[in-house]
Structure formats: structure tokens, C-alpha cells
Amino acid sequence: LLLGETGAGKEFLARAIHHEGPRGNKPFVAINCAAVPENLIETELFGHTKGAFTGAVAARRGYFELAHGGTLFLDEIGDLPLHLQASLLRAVEERRIRPVGDEKAIDVDVRVIAATNRDIKAEVAEGRFREDLYYRLGAVILTVPPLRERAEDIPSLVESQVERLSRQMGRKVTGVRPEALDVLVRYRWPGNVRELINVLERAVLLTDGEEIGLEDLPVELHGPHGDTIALVRSLTSKTFVDARDEVLADLEQRYFDALLHETGGKIGAAARRAGLSPRSLYEKMKKLGLQKEAFRDRHPGKEQSLGEP
């Protein structure tokens, strides 16, 4: 089960797991559960026989059968209706499917990787996602952090994607100039990996040289208010209250991460600078998933500075 924001790269990770494993030479089949009409999901997953319903003029294999021997990637699993969650659970547990309209079940050998951008535990608590299916899919749970929290991954992502896009488009683009790469690393990326690839695709297509420069990047990435523009665009689909809460949560995460970085994970020093008691700081760290040990081998001064008290 892969968790993370939309566009964070969950499908990239799923494909990597597939291709690097023993099933790498078998099919990788992906379905977006949120994009398929509810009345078609069952037949998309399990297939159907000829005449199973109006319009079924021929038998059709479902995604489970098409992925036999390989991997079935179920994106946005949190959008799967409850009654179909029961059918999915049965298929995963029994390793057998029954096409719509068929009396016989079919054995399938499929590794299932599911992904969602929802708080799946909250969905379970609210009764919108089956608890038994959550535990079955969640035998291994991986959380994919948003791109803004793993800027160190951006240079290698840029390199691999520029190479891939150049090959696909028949362009002779060999890389990205240092000043442009610096902008890509510092940008907030509200659309995550998906937005990064979109920007690189445009740059590879439009650049006049062999390397992507600042002039090939959208102005909102490197203009004086680029990060603010990206933040606002990522929030305008939300209510003001939700947007405010998200901004405050992001500020809190960045503030305490930078604070602990600069103090080398020393709780006393960090608490004094934050104007908090050590106990309150510990509670904040627990809430934000921060461990003091993670900051002890870092060297202050290499990242953003909060200034002296």
C-alpha cells in the first residue's frame, strides 16, 4: 500500500518495485479507480462474459487476468466503492476471480500494489474503507513524501527525465544548466513529480540549445515571487479555512525541521529558541514525525537560517 499526495510519484515507485523484482518481465497493469465509472469498475477488474449485460457483445478479460504473473497497480484505491471493496478483498485472499456473468472462477497469480492520497486510517474510522481490506493491502505500507520534502532527489529525477523526454521527442538535450537546476531544486512543487515532469517536457520541447536554461523554465519558478505563486495556486481549490490550516501546518513542519537542524537536535537549545518548554517541543516533534537523532549528524549553516535569538 503506497500513501502520499497526488503526483508524488506513487506509480513511479510501483513500477520500480515491479521492474526490479522477479516479476519484472511480466505485465504491469495500472487502473485509476477514481477515473472509472462505478458501474464499470467490476467488469474492468474481473472481466465479463459475452451477454453478461446489455452491450456485452463479446467476452472481455479484466485487469486481474491481464496482470496474471505480474503486478496490478490500483491507483486511488480510497475511491473504490464499499461493495466493490468486498469483491476485491475476496479476490486478493482467494487468488481467484469470477468474471461478471460467469459461473466459473479463474485462478490468478497477481501481486497487488494499491495507492491513495487519502488519510486511509481516517477513511477506515469513518466507515468509508473496509478495515479488513486495509489490513490485507497494508501488509507493507510505504509513504511517498511530497517532492518539496525530498529536494535531494530532484537532480537525479531531472537527469533521468530529461534523458527520457529527449529520446522520446527526438531532441538533443543533454542536461540542465546549474542555475536552472538550482531553481528546480528550490521550487516548492505543489504538483509534485507530475508537475516537475510537465515543466521538463515543456523545456525539452522549446529549448534552442543542448542544455535547459532559466529562459526555458516558466517564470513562476524563478521570478521574485515564484514560491508564493506556487503556494497560492496549490491552495485555491480549497476553502480559506482549509488553505490557512495547510499553510500553518507546512510552516510548522519547516520551522521545527530548520530549528532542529540548526541546533543539531539539542532539545534544550531548540526549545529556548522556540520559546517552548522541552516537553512541548517533544510533543511537537512527535506530532511532526521528527526524531532528534536525525539532526545530530547534520552541520548547521548549510540550509536556511532562522537567525540568532
Side-chain angles (χ1 to χ4, degrees):
L1 181 62
L2 308 183
L3 308 178
E5 293 181 4
T6 298
K10 297 186 291 295
E11 185 169 346
F12 275 88
L13 178 56
R15 289 182 181 275
I17 291 171
H18 171 76
H19 289 297
E20 294 297 326
R23 295 175 183 261
N25 61 345
K26 300 295 184 179
F28 179 92
V29 178
I31 178 174
N32 187 323
C33 298
V36 181
E38 182 175 339
N39 62 328
L40 294 179
I41 294 180
E42 187 172 15
T43 184
E44 290 290 309
L45 286 174
F46 308 122
H48 62 76
T49 61
K50 180 179 179 180
F53 51 85
T54 302
V57 295
R60 183 181 184 279
R61 294 193 297 165
Y63 285 113
F64 264 93
E65 194 173 353
L66 291 172
H68 181 70
T71 300
L72 177 62
F73 177 60
L74 302 174
D75 199 7
E76 303 302 348
I77 190 69
D79 291 90
L80 195 66
L82 272 172
H83 70 280
L84 290 174
Q85 292 177 26
S87 299
L88 175 61
L89 175 64
R90 185 167 58 251
V92 173
E93 288 187 332
E94 298 178 357
R95 301 187 180 187
R96 308 183 82 192
I97 60 168
R98 189 185 303 276
V100 176
D102 202 336
E103 296 180 354
K104 295 172 58 178
I106 301 172
D107 293 329
V108 288
D109 171 21
V110 174
R111 189 238 319 268
V112 175
I113 300 180
T116 182
N117 62 359
R118 297 191 179 192
D119 182 343
I120 199 67
K121 288 187 177 180
E123 295 291 301
V124 170
E126 294 293 328
R128 292 188 291 268
F129 198 85
R130 291 180 64 105
E131 186 175 28
D132 47 7
L133 180 58
Y134 166 70
Y135 286 120
R136 170 58 71 177
L137 294 176
V140 176
I141 298 178
L142 301 176
T143 299
V144 183
L147 192 55
R148 62 182 174 273
E149 294 180 8
R150 48 189 174 102
E152 66 277 7
D153 289 347
I154 292 177
S156 59
L157 276 170
V158 168
E159 181 181 3
S160 64
Q161 291 304 313
V162 167
E163 180 183 352
R164 179 183 67 84
L165 292 166
S166 300
R167 188 171 58 250
Q168 284 185 353
M169 297 180 184
R171 304 277 292 169
K172 294 182 179 180
V173 181
T174 58
V176 178
R177 291 202 288 270
E179 64 273 16
L181 181 60
D182 183 60
V183 166
L184 294 174
V185 170
R186 289 189 291 105
Y187 186 64
R188 178 182 171 85
W189 297 114
N192 285 300
V193 176
R194 188 173 298 158
E195 183 184 8
L196 172 62
I197 293 175
N198 180 266
V199 166
L200 293 175
E201 186 174 17
R202 175 185 180 276
V204 168
L205 184 63
L206 298 180
T207 185
D208 292 328
E210 292 188 354
E211 289 187 314
I212 294 170
L214 283 177
E215 67 278 7
D216 301 311
L217 301 178
V219 67
E220 58 263 31
L221 267 67
H222 55 85
H225 306 294
D227 202 52
T228 302
I229 292 172
L231 174 61
V232 171
R233 286 182 176 176
S234 70
L235 296 174
T236 50
S237 62
K238 305 176 186 294
T239 66
F240 170 73
V241 172
D242 289 342
R244 179 194 62 192
D245 291 346
E246 183 170 325
V247 170
L248 291 175
D250 183 64
L251 172 64
E252 190 174 48
Q253 183 79 43
R254 290 181 182 224
Y255 175 84
F256 285 104
D257 185 275
L259 178 65
L260 289 164
H261 165 74
E262 292 198 356
T263 56
K266 296 177 181 177
I267 300 301
R272 286 192 296 273
R273 292 179 63 175
L276 299 172
S277 68
R279 180 174 180 177
S280 295
L281 178 58
Y282 266 120
E283 290 175 352
K284 286 284 187 186
M285 291 169 62
K286 183 177 180 181
K287 171 188 171 185
L288 299 172
L290 300 173
Q291 300 289 332
K292 62 181 181 181
E293 292 80 10
F295 299 90
R296 286 179 175 169
D297 58 348
R298 299 187 184 182
H299 302 286
K302 286 189 176 181
E303 297 179 11
Q304 64 200 64
S305 173
L306 293 173
E308 292 300 323

